[in-house]
Amino acid sequence: MFDHAYGSYMKYAYPADELMPLSCRGRVVWPLDTPLWGCWVGLCLTPLVFVGTWQVLNKLEEFEEAVKMAVKDVRLDNDIVVSVFETNIRVLGGLLGAHVMADLLRGQGERMQWYRDELLHMAKELGHRLLPAFNTSSGLPYPRVNLRYGVLNPLSRTGTESDTCTACAGTMILEFAALSRLSGDTVFEEHARKALDVLWDKRQRGSDLVGTVINIHNGDWVRRDSGVGAGIDSYYEYLMKAYILLGDNVYLERFNAHYSAIMKYISQPPLLLNVHMHNPTVSVRGWMDSLLAFFPGLQVLRGDLKPAIETHEMLYQVTQEHKFLPEAFTTEFKVHWGQHLLRPEFAESTYFLYKATGDPYYLKVGQSIVEKLNTHTRVPCGFAAMQDVRTGTHEDRMDSFFLAEMFKYLYLLFSEKSQLPFDIDDYIFTTEAHLLPMSLSSTQPPCQDNRMESPTAEDLFTYSCPSTQTLFPNNPSFARTIRDGYKYLTGVGRVGIELPLHDSGMESVEFFRSMGISLAKLHDVDAAGPKGTYTVKLIAEVNQATEEEEVVPLVVQLISPPFLGRTVLMAGPAKFGMDLTKQEHGVKGSIVKSAPYSACGPIENAEELRGNIAVALRGDCMFASKARRLQEAGAIGVIFIDHREGSSSEETPLFQMVGDGGSVSDITIPLVFLFSREGAVLSAALEEHRNVDVLLLPRDRQLGRGAPLGVNIKIRLSGGGELLSGEAKDATFQLLLEPGEEEEEDGEVKSPSSQCHLSDLPPHTGKQASRAGSQSTACSSHTDSQSSP
């Protein structure tokens, strides 16, 4: 998988910073208007970020070539504005990690004998180019810096920012301290440590929590919501890892204080919620973001395995439900933001939990990650991010962290220590999975200014990392007993049922069918069970009316030519939206298929839907969610079509669509449901005729019910006056007769009026007969008159 991704990058993108896997070309510029982000433009970012991955994969020749390529091609004096945070963790971390590995190989005497610390020199140059960002009154860095002109220079195009995120300011210490200790220049570690001091000083003293965004000049909190996900995540990670890497107790003491607050206020196993830092008993939102998936791995380092297992299992259940972790999901495990950027944090925590517990369950979780990546994201030119996990649509991006982290954690998960070219336990992972040696703690004493204001209560792991071999010796069931309580969090249960199969096994299948249970093959379950075992997925929908309720049948009646009311499709109602039984004439409109067809993601053809009736496929998300999106897009009604192939109103009782459990009073458009076969008729009509008008109304009010549907035809001579007062203006055709053979000498028409049934119109004449200004019609007179228009 790594070879496919890397080969695609080198073939289609190098020396651009990242690969666009759908269009098979390189991405050079990131949008500058992205908050707390920047552009890379010509840094050759990707080789720097994943050059260390070759070492982990034991591909030493490729590693050496990648180092040569980076030394030859990368230039750091570009006139570009970059994110301080991203440049630190990706580029500086990549340079340092690659230097450490190159130095290791050089010391072994077989490879890299030409290497003269070029990567370290580049890292030091980059570090100096980032230092101007720390020139603030508080010591918190600017979020962006110009690599050539720094900050506040007239040419720098930066320096006007006033805010930065907590993680952006607090995720510098590993790379900057490593740079200081490898180069001997203390200035980098001092600046990173000062930024951490400010964040610690600005914490909320009552709760020991920090906010998400802080003012870099006065240290005031701009956003006071506190969690462990986006905006804060790696701040906590770097406090813990700074102690491991540098041996400085102050970092662990601060982490322990924060961790106690997290477990008291934010952790509600298996959930990790966001709270207000000044009032931490108040939850500030009902959703979680995918970046918090790193936290179980950090809890493993802390030695707190039980909540790590609980939260990880919750995340795994979400991936089982949606294939991947959505960028954000609700506390009910529904999609909040459907995007998935191939983030590696869940794989990271899976790796740490497997190494901590030895439970093969986590190998199966890793296998699931691999299979989903190959099945749903692998494309000819690499791996493509998911634009929406609900629809399966792709996004034209493959971020560098996918190469740097995902494959590294997955490879380490499935490999043994003896298969690696170095001892992995001698290194600590940065947040971008670059490896830094823990021997750095002995190369230089800790900064003298680091002081803890007040000691926190000590426990078993206050000053040491856990030894799981000591804590849980030969106890493979430890993790399972914790996981068992979280198997069905997402509402989807998978139950293994042992059936007494005989011959073909149909006896048991028919037995279940007699109970109203259908067995269907699932694509994402483990089929390697014992013989005679079915794995079934039971899904219950509240879709039947109670005995007191009556399901009022509705219809979708096609009224435009050539159908003209003769095609009527039985439809089911909804318990929400417009009540069609109270609409005297129903709702009329042209039908337009929604894009995406499931309507579970952003509506792409809103302009086309506006003022028309949308057609959407059932499945992937709730009826109410679809209806809201389509209503917001301007649709005046929605026809849902069943996704179960072959379903029909003749064989299946009608049901009422229900809401999503919340308020649905905001949905005001009419909603009807067609089974698959009826929906196929509607889809075929739309495909053949493009412009199809329909009526949505109760079955007992359909046009033409009980009596032929007729239309009056008024005939007047050319040049005649307007309609007489009181004459009907609706459902009336006016036919103009030019003087000619059909007109009597006295000017009177032999057949002044006639009536025909719409059902008698030949199909091919319908559009012609209904055109305004038409001078002829194929509707023949139902009178004895010999004249016809």
Side-chain angles (χ1 to χ4, degrees), residues 133-183:
F134 291 83
N135 187 22
T136 61
S137 56
S138 69
L140 297 171
Y142 281 97
R144 297 188 182 96
V145 66
N146 186 299
L147 289 183
R148 178 176 296 175
Y149 297 110
V151 180
L152 299 176
N153 186 298
L155 299 176
S156 68
R157 305 188 302 282
T158 187
T160 59
E161 304 92 346
S162 60
D163 304 330
T164 193
C165 71
T166 302
C168 299
T171 310
M172 307 292 292
I173 188 63
L174 292 190
E175 292 82 3
F176 269 42
L179 179 57
S180 284
R181 300 194 182 200
L182 289 169
S183 69

Side-chain angles (χ1 to χ4, degrees), residues 238-273:
Y238 269 38
L239 283 178
M240 178 67 174
K241 291 182 176 179
Y243 165 71
I244 299 173
L245 181 69
L246 306 174
D248 193 337
N249 287 345
V250 73
Y251 297 121
L252 183 62
E253 291 168 349
R254 291 179 182 179
F255 172 80
N256 284 334
H258 285 311
Y259 186 75
S260 296
I262 290 168
M263 299 309 293
K264 182 177 182 180
Y265 301 115
I266 293 172
S267 177
Q268 299 182 24
L271 307 180
L272 292 166
L273 302 179

Side-chain angles (χ1 to χ4, degrees), residues 259 261-273 288 292 295-296 299 304-315 331 333 482-483 485-486 489:
Y259 186 75
I262 290 168
M263 299 309 293
K264 182 177 182 180
Y265 301 115
I266 293 172
S267 177
Q268 299 182 24
L271 307 180
L272 292 166
L273 302 179
M288 297 169 280
L292 61 76
F295 198 69
Q299 289 179 306
D304 205 356
L305 286 190
K306 184 175 184 295
I309 292 168
E310 291 171 330
T311 297
H312 180 274
E313 182 63 20
M314 177 269 291
L315 296 169
T331 52
F333 314 112
I482 298 173
R483 288 193 305 266
Y486 298 94
L489 278 174

Side-chain angles (χ1 to χ4, degrees), residues 600-660:
C600 288
I603 303 301
E604 301 167 3
N605 61 335
E607 193 67 32
E608 189 180 359
L609 285 172
R610 189 169 294 113
N612 295 315
I613 295 175
V615 179
L617 189 68
R618 179 188 188 184
D620 293 338
C621 62
M622 303 294 285
F623 288 121
S625 300
K626 300 172 187 279
R628 284 192 183 93
R629 288 190 185 91
L630 294 170
Q631 179 175 279
E632 291 171 1
I636 61 172
V638 182
I639 300 171
F640 295 111
I641 296 179
D642 196 0
H643 62 316
R644 297 173 303 154
E645 189 173 345
S647 63
S648 168
S649 62
E650 296 179 356
E651 302 172 358
T652 308
L654 292 178
F655 65 88
Q656 296 188 78
M657 294 178 286
V658 296
D660 53 9

